[in-house]
Amino acid sequence: VSAGGQPAYIAYVSPAQINALAPNVTPGNVPVTVTNSNGTSAPVMVVAQIAQPAFFHWGSYAVATRTDYSLAVRNGTFPGSTTAAAKPGETIVLWGTGFGPTSPAAPSGVVVPFGITYYTANAVTVTVGGVPATAYGAALTPGEAGLYQLAFQIPTTLADGDYPVVATVAGVHSPASTLITVQK
């Protein structure tokens, strides 16, 4: 995979899907091509941005854990697994991609090394159900490629229910269709 004439980091390939991390390209319209034993595809134009945050999902719900990595989802979501919804006041970690550049700058084209924390260069804010949440920061996950962790506190004022969780970085919002379950 090439984006803007530069090689992209390939994270996964199957007959129907390629997961690739874009190289450091200038924001704007960028041609993307795929090369295999049959040749190179025609370029497809995509819009590159500094950030385009999004959370990974279990259905409509954000992939959410506690700081001990236990699952923070509605009880019964995964038959045979112990799960419990996030509680008001609890610190939760959401897992996502597209949170933009880091400080220090993470190396390109390799998994994130251990030993250094690569926090987002731009501040990240979070709302749950439109209520501002205390964000403790977002950083790349060591041993992975392009996987961000975002730790934040569930607002204490929320009643039981499913709420949209939205992160904002560099003025760009994650999709408001991502939900998290809160239960006292």
Side-chain angles (χ1 to χ4, degrees):
V1 175
S2 173
Q6 298 179 47
Y9 174 81
I10 304 298
Y12 174 80
V13 176
S14 76
Q17 177 178 326
I18 299 172
N19 292 356
L21 290 166
N24 292 327
V25 294
T26 303
N29 292 323
V30 176
V32 175
T33 59
V34 175
T35 302
N36 64 20
S37 60
N38 295 321
T40 300
S41 69
V44 174
M45 297 303 288
V46 300
V47 177
Q49 295 181 196
I50 294 294
Q52 186 63 58
F55 296 114
F56 292 109
H57 289 175
W58 290 315
S60 297
Y61 296 87
V63 173
T65 62
R66 293 175 176 75
T67 55
D68 66 0
Y69 299 102
S70 63
L71 304 177
V73 295
R74 178 190 321 243
N75 192 26
T77 298
F78 302 111
S81 295
T82 302
T83 58
K87 296 181 181 352
E90 186 173 33
T91 298
I92 297 297
V93 178
L94 298 185
W95 302 81
T97 191
F99 284 79
T102 62
S103 180
S108 296
V110 297
V111 297
V112 175
F114 289 86
I116 298 174
T117 302
Y118 295 94
Y119 288 103
T120 56
N122 297 299
V124 178
T125 61
V126 179
T127 61
V128 182
V131 177
T134 300
Y136 299 114
L140 285 168
T141 304
E144 300 292 335
L147 177 62
Y148 289 83
Q149 303 175 39
L150 171 62
F152 70 100
Q153 183 181 41
I154 298 290
T156 58
T157 57
L158 294 179
D160 291 356
D162 293 340
Y163 295 95
V165 58
V166 177
T168 303
V169 61
V172 182
H173 308 287
S174 65
S177 56
T178 303
L179 301 174
I180 190 165
T181 300
V182 175
Q183 189 171 6
K184 294 179 184 176

